[in-house]
Amino acid sequence: MANSVAILSQFFYPETAAVAQLLTELAVDLSQNGIDTVAYTAQPSYHRRSRLPRKQVYRSVKIYRLFSTQFSKDRLSGRLLNGLTFSTAVLARLLFSRRRQALLVTTNPPFLLWVAWLVWLLRRREYILLVHDIYPDVAIRLGYMGDRDLIARVWRWFNRKAYGRASAIIVLGEQMRRVIERSAAQLPPVHVIHSWADGSHVRPLPKRLNPFVKRHALEGKLVVLYSGNLGQAHELETLVEAAERLKGLHELVILFIGEGAKKAKLMAMVEERQLSNVLFLPPVPYEELSYSLTAGDIGVVTLEGGVEGLCEPSKLYGYLAAGLAILALVGEKSEVAEIVERHQCGYRLDQGDVDGVVEILRYLATHRGELEKMKRSARECLEHFYDRRLAVEKYLDIIRNL
């Protein structure tokens, strides 16, 4: 039985990225449940800040910040170099470490899978893989490389080796499990543990009591919220095009909170169309999520076509915790679509369906009773299926059974 674990992730406390917040919550809960927990991570990169101490303790979790380059994450070359240098630093640290605790290895960056396999070969360290994104498949679907390119074939060979030597694999949804199970002949147990939200930290809040709403003049508005990474894997242009068609719906505001590679493009689209009903705000710290998320009425979840089953947007669960109706611009067979349909907490549309978005937003603006019903269903869905405490129990079972 494992009583200690080291989490490997480029992103961790105090980053604002969703994966950092989720892993930090997990680490704290593991520690509070008797698992000696450390985290190997990099210096924060999601927004400019002074360098943090190389060693830190946060709520009994020991954090070690290793070297990595800190190029702009909005450029592919920068993300690759940052990920490669961090992975190399992790490999060096683990090879020369005397500690023998099990490893919980994320795909942030995806090269950490290979690090885990090499450490197993050389030091026989047990590891669990936590797969947030399946590469190189995501890169292939987004057009960065071809399916038969040499780099893709070598990448998949390394993945098969890493998958096969893991003690367990954790994925974020049933579709991801099917993709992983098709990728290799010999695999350890593959567990589905969805991402989550902390329902005690984020809970529905009347807008009249919300300081975030007052600060940004959102009183009396129907707020369509996208909160998270404005990255290449997210189909966001549809929202801007819908906003242009909805100029006459004066109570409507489309609110983007976050940074990412698509932000400049989206802002240019808004400026070109001279839209006053679209607002951009920077990421908010974890402590303010309970206010920023509850400023919305409708939470938008998007994925570019073709990447369903290869990554799962964690922002869905924050919206559920805040009690927002969901507008999902995803494929009909995606995990998000299944959740929204099963729990009757919103609508699903194909990516690029501007007409559908316009129709739904006009309808909800005039049928507030239907909107409130969906918002209640969203919160109930979180409480019964996707709350933080439920996910942590599953992680504890896997770690304790190593």
Side-chain angles (χ1 to χ4, degrees), residues 192-251:
V192 175
I193 306 179
H194 292 87
S195 295
W196 64 87
D198 185 348
S200 64
H201 176 61
V202 178
R203 59 176 66 247
L205 178 69
K207 290 193 177 184
R208 69 180 184 277
L209 303 177
N210 190 329
F212 188 92
V213 169
K214 296 177 181 178
R215 188 184 317 141
H216 298 289
L218 298 173
E219 299 100 327
K221 299 294 186 180
L222 178 68
V223 179
V224 180
L225 173 66
Y226 180 90
S227 177
N229 180 31
L230 306 174
Q232 297 292 355
H234 301 287
E235 205 289 309
L236 299 166
E237 294 83 351
T238 296
L239 287 178
V240 176
E241 293 175 19
E244 184 176 23
R245 301 258 297 271
L246 291 166
K247 285 181 178 180
L249 192 60
H250 299 297
E251 67 267 36

Side-chain angles (χ1 to χ4, degrees), residues 141 173-179 182 194 303-313 328-342 348-351:
R141 298 287 178 85
E174 291 292 344
Q175 286 201 38
M176 292 184 76
R177 171 155 64 183
R178 290 192 283 271
V179 173
R182 290 195 300 265
H194 292 87
L303 281 175
E304 284 285 358
V307 299
E308 293 94 344
L310 304 178
C311 54
E312 295 293 341
L329 303 178
V330 298
E332 62 181 344
K333 295 183 179 180
S334 69
E335 197 87 15
V336 172
E338 292 175 8
I339 292 172
V340 170
E341 181 178 357
R342 186 186 318 129
R348 184 214 68 85
L349 294 171
D350 290 335
Q351 298 94 331

Side-chain angles (χ1 to χ4, degrees), residues 19-323:
V19 64
Q21 295 172 358
L22 290 169
L23 289 172
T24 302
E25 289 180 348
L26 175 62
V28 169
D29 287 354
L30 293 178
S31 180
Q32 291 177 349
N33 280 275
I35 305 295
D36 181 25
T37 306
V38 304
Y40 293 104
T41 188
Q43 288 286 335
S45 61
Y46 262 69
H47 36 91
R48 300 289 180 184
R49 62 168 73 231
S50 58
R51 291 179 68 84
L52 297 177
R54 292 176 58 191
K55 298 180 182 179
Q56 182 181 5
V57 177
Y58 174 73
R59 298 181 61 183
S60 75
V61 176
K62 294 178 282 293
I63 302 172
Y64 297 92
R65 295 188 177 89
L66 307 182
F67 170 79
S68 73
T69 54
Q70 291 186 284
F71 295 109
S72 171
K73 62 181 179 58
D74 292 337
R75 291 181 173 273
L76 176 62
S77 58
R79 293 198 303 274
L80 283 172
L81 285 171
N82 295 345
L84 285 167
T85 53
F86 173 69
S87 299
T88 302
V90 171
L91 177 61
R93 179 65 179 250
L94 294 178
L95 288 179
F96 293 100
S97 173
R98 295 181 180 179
R99 301 200 67 176
R100 302 290 298 173
Q101 76 264 59
L103 305 175
L104 178 60
V105 184
T106 72
T107 51
N108 301 292
F111 319 118
L112 287 179
L113 275 68
W114 312 345
V115 169
W117 175 59
L118 290 171
V119 172
W120 183 90
L121 284 177
L122 299 172
R123 299 295 303 272
R124 289 300 192 265
R125 292 277 292 273
E126 275 193 296
Y127 62 92
I128 300 166
L129 293 181
L130 172 52
V131 181
H132 288 118
D133 309 281
I134 301 177
Y135 279 86
D137 303 63
V138 171
I140 292 169
R141 298 287 178 85
L142 293 177
Y144 291 115
M145 66 177 70
D147 187 59
R148 301 301 301 167
D149 288 357
L150 177 62
I151 187 172
R153 286 180 286 168
V154 171
W155 199 321
R156 284 173 169 151
W157 183 87
F158 273 107
N159 284 356
R160 287 194 293 272
K161 294 296 183 181
Y163 293 155
R165 288 301 182 185
S167 298
I169 298 175
I170 299 170
V171 296
L172 306 183
E174 291 292 344
Q175 286 201 38
M176 292 184 76
R177 171 155 64 183
R178 290 192 283 271
V179 173
I180 293 291
E181 289 177 341
R182 290 195 300 265
S183 69
Q186 294 183 331
L187 290 173
V190 182
H191 306 270
V192 175
I193 306 179
H194 292 87
S195 295
W196 64 87
D198 185 348
S200 64
H201 176 61
V202 178
R203 59 176 66 247
L205 178 69
K207 290 193 177 184
R208 69 180 184 277
L209 303 177
N210 190 329
F212 188 92
V213 169
K214 296 177 181 178
R215 188 184 317 141
H216 298 289
L218 298 173
E219 299 100 327
K221 299 294 186 180
L222 178 68
V223 179
V224 180
L225 173 66
Y226 180 90
S227 177
N229 180 31
L230 306 174
Q232 297 292 355
H234 301 287
E235 205 289 309
L236 299 166
E237 294 83 351
T238 296
L239 287 178
V240 176
E241 293 175 19
E244 184 176 23
R245 301 258 297 271
L246 291 166
K247 285 181 178 180
L249 192 60
H250 299 297
E251 67 267 36
L252 179 76
V253 172
I254 294 179
L255 172 60
F256 292 100
I257 301 179
E259 301 289 346
K262 276 191 175 179
K263 185 172 184 178
K265 176 184 178 181
L266 295 171
M267 294 181 74
M269 290 176 65
V270 169
E271 183 176 359
E272 178 184 342
R273 291 162 172 79
Q274 297 183 327
L275 301 179
S276 60
N277 57 354
V278 180
L279 177 63
F280 291 91
L281 295 175
V284 302
Y286 177 81
E287 294 76 17
E288 292 186 24
L289 279 179
S290 58
Y291 299 118
S292 64
L293 291 177
T294 53
D297 296 288
I298 302 162
V300 179
V301 182
T302 74
L303 281 175
E304 284 285 358
V307 299
E308 293 94 344
L310 304 178
C311 54
E312 295 293 341
S314 60
K315 61 179 61 62
L316 169 67
Y317 306 97
Y319 297 153
L320 296 177

